[in-house]
């Protein structure tokens, strides 16, 4: 089971401090850190004390206690200066979707910031179904900008659809409002 978080051992109370939470798609539980979920809302600085009632330690980090817990409900005990609380999280089988979405959104924000909003950005992870989904997710939001970056780094291949090329090459010549 994965938590979509970066942790650091805290020697003082032998717990694991949350140093960063992955921020993926808030509307897709499988593509966001379960620690961001409503009712959990973990914060950077909180510390994981136990997993399913088993105390964590340097020798037994949370990751070791989450083996064979993918897509499972897991009880975490969190502590901070505000007190201790117990939360129930649905672990991830794979953090890649959450980390991917965070990476894309960080790149998109960087391009928008550096270009003063004049350049659009989207990433195509492949030239198959996932790539088409990414294209259609972002294209309408990004196509009205003066320029467009189509990022194909780490692209897993496939074939370039003439439909994608045709949509990118289109020029708007009118709008209809009803």
């Amino acid at each position: 089971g994965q938590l979509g978080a970066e942790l650091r051992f805290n020697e003082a109370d032998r717990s694991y401090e949350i140093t960063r939470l992955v921020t993926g798609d808030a509307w897709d539980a499988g593509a966001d850190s379960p620690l961001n979920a409503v009712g959990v809302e973990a914060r950077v600085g909180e510390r994981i004390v136990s997993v399913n009632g088993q105390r964590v330690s340097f020798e037994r980090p949370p990751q070791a206690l989450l083996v064979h817990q993918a897509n499972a409900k897991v009880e975490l005990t969190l502590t901070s200066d505000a007190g201790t609380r117990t939360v129930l999280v649905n672990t991830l089988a794979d953090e890649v979707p959450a980390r991917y979405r965070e990476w894309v959104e960080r790149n998109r924000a960087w391009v928008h910031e550096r270009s003063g909003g004049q350049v659009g950005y989207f990433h195509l992870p492949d030239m198959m179904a996932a790539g088409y989904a990414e294209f259609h997710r972002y294209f309408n939001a990004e196509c009205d900008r003066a320029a467009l970056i189509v990022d194909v780094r780490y692209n897993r291949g496939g074939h370039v659809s003439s439909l994608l090329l045709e949509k990118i090459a289109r020029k708007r010549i009118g709008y209809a409002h009803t």
Side-chain angles (χ1 to χ4, degrees):
Q2 305 285 319
L3 296 175
E6 294 175 14
L7 309 173
R8 175 179 55 219
F9 184 68
N10 183 314
E11 187 66 46
D13 66 353
R14 303 193 55 77
S15 64
Y16 280 82
E17 181 180 350
I18 299 169
T19 59
R20 193 172 84 76
L21 294 166
V22 173
T23 304
D25 278 330
W27 56 269
D28 182 359
D32 195 19
S33 170
L35 297 175
N36 291 328
V38 173
V40 178
E41 301 158 310
R43 294 172 304 282
V44 169
E46 282 189 294
R47 298 178 309 280
I48 299 173
V49 176
S50 67
V51 176
N52 285 334
Q54 295 182 27
R55 184 82 164 101
V56 298
S57 66
F58 184 75
E59 297 78 20
R60 285 191 341 172
Q63 296 89 335
L65 297 172
L66 291 169
V67 171
H68 302 299
Q69 299 294 317
N71 295 320
K73 291 191 184 305
V74 173
E75 183 182 88
L76 299 177
T77 303
L78 303 174
T79 191
S80 68
D81 294 339
T84 300
R85 64 191 180 111
T86 301
V87 295
L88 195 62
V89 300
N90 292 314
T91 62
L92 299 172
D94 185 4
E95 288 183 350
V96 169
R99 289 186 183 273
Y100 172 74
R101 182 63 50 221
E102 181 179 66
W103 179 77
V104 168
E105 290 298 331
R106 186 174 53 243
N107 291 342
R108 190 169 170 239
W110 186 88
V111 167
H112 291 171
E113 178 189 334
R114 299 282 193 220
S115 70
Q118 295 299 303
V119 178
Y121 170 92
F122 61 86
H123 179 259
L124 292 178
D126 60 32
M127 299 297 181
M128 297 177 285
Y132 297 144
E134 283 297 301
F135 176 85
H136 288 97
R137 176 185 181 127
Y138 288 106
F139 182 68
N140 284 338
E142 301 295 301
C143 71
D144 285 337
R145 300 174 193 271
L148 184 62
I149 295 173
V150 180
D151 188 348
V152 293
R153 291 177 293 170
Y154 318 114
N155 187 287
R156 296 183 298 267
H159 62 280
V160 177
S161 168
S162 58
L163 293 173
L164 296 185
L165 295 173
E166 187 270 329
K167 283 184 179 182
I168 289 173
R170 282 184 194 168
K171 291 188 191 279
R172 287 212 177 128
I173 56 172
Y175 291 91
H177 293 283
T178 57

